Amino acid sequence: MKISSEQVQQILKSYGVKGPAKTGKAEQAGAVQPADDAALSTASQEISKALALISKTSDVRADKVAALKAQIEAGTYQVSGTDIADSVWARALADEL
């Protein structure tokens, strides 16, 4: 069975695929093709800005660390058993997920 070029084009058309582009005289003469272009979505741009801001901020809150350090040195730092149990439970749940 022979399949003609016309039949192949009909099949490609039914699947929404364009056939090979025919070259024009400008392309044959070595004309410059336009450069590819990519653009980020607005959401992607906002995420990039947020990540840049986050990377500039410090992971350590110096004021909080200084206050806790002073409490520990003074012997006044107290943590309830409930707070410790809550933290252990929350960490265990996070590890499970």
Side-chain angles (χ1 to χ4, degrees), residues 17-56:
V17 179
K18 294 182 180 179
K22 296 183 181 180
T23 58
K25 291 182 183 179
E27 290 177 9
Q28 292 174 354
V32 178
Q33 297 291 324
D36 291 337
D37 188 25
L40 297 176
S41 69
T42 304
S44 176
Q45 291 173 354
E46 290 175 4
I47 290 171
S48 295
K49 288 178 186 178
L51 289 174
L53 288 173
I54 290 170
S55 67
K56 291 179 183 178

Side-chain angles (χ1 to χ4, degrees), residues 12 16-17 59 66 71 77-78:
L12 290 174
V17 179
D59 290 342
Q71 287 179 352
Y77 180 70
Q78 299 292 323

Side-chain angles (χ1 to χ4, degrees), residues 9-10 16-17 23-24 36 44 54 57 61 63 67 71 74 79 82 92 94:
Q9 294 302 320
Q10 289 176 350
V17 179
T23 58
D36 291 337
S44 176
I54 290 170
T57 58
R61 293 178 16 197
D63 57 332
Q71 287 179 352
V79 181
T82 304

Side-chain angles (χ1 to χ4, degrees), residues 82-97:
T82 304
D83 290 341
I84 294 172
D86 288 343
S87 294
V88 170
W89 182 249
R91 183 73 253 165
L93 286 175
D95 289 344
E96 286 293 319
L97 297 176

